[in-house]
Amino acid sequence: MRDVAVVSFAPSEPGLTGVEETETQLLFPVINEALAKIGITRKDIGFTCSASCDYLAGAPFAFVQTLEATGAWPPISESHVEMDGAWALYEAWVRLQHGDVDVALAFSSGICSRADIREVLSIQLDPYYLAPLWLDPLSFGRLQAEAVGQEPPTQAPAYTDAAAAVVLAAGDRARELVDRPAWIAGIDHRTDAHYPGVRDLSKSESARIAGQQAGVDKAPVDVAYLSAQYPHEGLILMDALGLTHGYGLATNPLMVSGLIQVGTAADAVIKGDANRSVGHASAGPCLQQNLVAVFEA
Amino acid sequence: MSEPVRFVSQKVDLDYKVVTSPVARRFDEQMRAGRITGHKCPECGLVYVPPKGFCPIDCVITDESNEVEVRDAGTLTSFTVITPIQYQGQEEKEEYVLANILLDGASGTIGQQRVEGIPHSEVRMGMRVKAVWGGDPNEGSRGWGLTGAIKHWEPSGEPDEPKEKYQEHVL
Ligand SMILES: [Zn+2]
């Protein structure tokens, strides 16, 4: 495997809502900041992966427009995931393993304030049994809280608007760009069954396997940032990852939450606040999909 | 004997709030005053109509100081005669023409523009067209396109442009 590190991270200001700019305009400053921090330009990027959801924008192919923030002419090598930005980071990491490019950009954006998120998220459910019931994230949160014997939540964290960008670099290029690259010691993502009725909701098998594959338990962890929307999700995740403490989500900017948690974990290593950190991202009902990344100085 | 296949129809209805960006709001104000405007990139000189608030090639931010007016006339670069399928909510009944138009003074085409005042069989690439104003500016704008201020486009009567003039803009 090639040594790959996160060398820069820039999120938008936390807690934004009612953003008037386009998603592309929201991305411009975070991409600019992520590049400026390490003194490179868009021309230095060998691969770009974006993440967003057309169902938040309410328009088909909305994701194509965000590419305009990357300087995609002459044509660049790029990809998109209809997932949280942490999965774009994962694809960028995979792409850097190919060995022919040394620097990659991953970013994500989501404007939640223009849609009814409880409706939008129920559309991701299976169309036969669950979508017709319009089961929303709070209903799932309450079901899962009961499964672990916790008080069911009465509301989810506020959905906010956000964008974030990370730059990844391989080997010596990473060492040139920053004093303390956040080396990706392990990264893995797993998914549980789509239908919540066939799962044991009191635990997260996919988070456990992802954590094990990423090597969370190989050495002590200084700090962990988990995409936990509710206290009970934090308990399930800490149990699955073998952690005693982790920071959860204060607000939930969909499509960006996970990238912010993973990017913040990497940034703790870059800034020298931690020597070993864990970042986690989640998607789907009741922590269905989980991504775990371990960063080391 | 097998049972006949049964169907369940489930209608999905998602509501969105349409937010026009400050750049689109300014463009809309200008359209209501009868002016089509764009932003000219200070680096490469390309004129974007409608303005985006940035140049996607140079990745520089543009604003009102980069605003330029373009003509309400241009060259049709490509078109489609559309036969409306009668799905639920369809308001079109007859065949109609949508075209890409390269406005005089703009660096790229505007898409999905309605062309009237000419038999469909005579619509052609390179044809010169002019705007017919007087539409409802509150109609049809989601912060992109040209708003509803222009009803449609019609032939201007000028001679056709040779293909060298527009071939880079044909989709
Ligand atoms: Zn330019």
Side-chain angles (χ1 to χ4, degrees), chain A residues 248-265:
Chain A
L249 298 175
T251 63
N252 190 0
L254 287 182
M255 315 317 291
V256 193
S257 303
L259 184 60
I260 290 176
Q261 299 302 88
V262 172
T264 303

Side-chain angles (χ1 to χ4, degrees), chain A:
Chain A
M1 293 295 265
R2 215 174 170 213
D3 288 338
V4 170
V6 170
V7 290
S8 187
F9 166 60
S12 55
E13 182 191 323
L16 290 179
T17 188
V19 161
E20 290 194 321
E21 281 73 23
T22 61
E23 225 164 300
T24 316
Q25 287 176 303
L26 189 60
L27 276 162
F28 254 98
V30 298
I31 294 176
N32 286 350
E33 190 192 334
L35 300 177
K37 270 183 169 179
I38 50 172
I40 64 170
T41 71
R42 286 167 173 80
K43 300 289 173 213
D44 296 309
I45 305 292
F47 177 70
T48 297
C49 192
S50 60
S52 63
C53 177
D54 284 4
Y55 278 82
L56 284 190
F61 295 98
F63 71 94
V64 177
Q65 288 167 19
T66 65
L67 270 184
E68 296 197 322
T70 66
W73 183 267
I76 60 169
S77 168
E78 59 83 23
S79 181
H80 175 264
V81 294
E82 197 83 6
M83 293 286 286
D84 184 287
W87 276 264
L89 183 154
Y90 183 89
E91 185 173 335
W93 173 78
V94 170
R95 184 64 185 78
L96 287 174
Q97 294 302 330
H98 292 200
D100 57 327
V101 294
D102 295 331
V103 182
L105 170 70
F107 63 85
S108 70
S109 54
I111 295 178
C112 292
S113 57
R114 296 176 194 173
D116 182 336
I117 300 302
R118 293 173 69 177
E119 279 186 0
V120 168
L121 286 180
S122 66
I123 298 297
Q124 73 182 331
L125 303 171
D126 87 78
Y128 310 109
Y129 300 110
L130 295 180
L133 300 175
W134 293 93
L135 269 176
D136 69 5
L138 184 60
S139 312
F140 280 116
R142 291 174 65 87
L143 274 174
Q144 192 163 32
E146 284 185 12
V148 285
Q150 295 288 310
E151 187 67 26
T154 52
Q155 74 186 75
Y159 294 110
T160 50
D161 306 336
V166 292
V167 180
L168 292 86
D172 289 342
R173 190 76 174 106
R175 292 180 194 96
E176 274 167 34
L177 291 171
V178 66
D179 289 340
R180 284 173 58 92
W183 296 107
I184 299 173
I187 186 166
D188 195 63
H189 69 92
R190 301 280 158 163
T191 185
D192 273 294
H194 189 212
Y195 189 65
V198 301
R199 292 164 49 192
D200 175 355
L201 295 181
S202 70
K203 55 186 186 179
S204 176
E205 190 60 8
S206 59
R208 188 188 67 75
I209 298 170
Q212 191 181 49
Q213 294 295 317
V216 174
D217 62 357
K218 283 185 185 166
V221 172
D222 296 330
V223 65
Y225 292 90
L226 308 175
S227 293
Q229 305 179 75
Y230 305 109
H232 71 264
E233 288 188 354
L235 295 174
I236 292 168
L237 289 168
M238 285 191 286
D239 182 51
L241 301 176
L243 298 170
T244 53
H245 185 75
Y247 293 98
L249 298 175
T251 63
N252 190 0
L254 287 182
M255 315 317 291
V256 193
S257 303
L259 184 60
I260 290 176
Q261 299 302 88
V262 172
T264 303
D267 219 26
V269 170
I270 295 170
K271 287 177 176 160
D273 296 337
N275 285 321
R276 195 165 191 271
S277 66
V278 169
H280 161 266
S282 187
C286 298
L287 298 169
Q288 187 209 354
Q289 298 145 16
N290 292 282
L291 179 149
V292 179
V294 178
F295 299 101
E296 289 177 359

Side-chain angles (χ1 to χ4, degrees), chain B residues 41 43-46 48 55 57-58 60:
Chain B
C41 172
E43 301 263 329
C44 67
L46 291 178
Y48 295 92
C55 170
I57 293 176
D58 299 293
V60 295

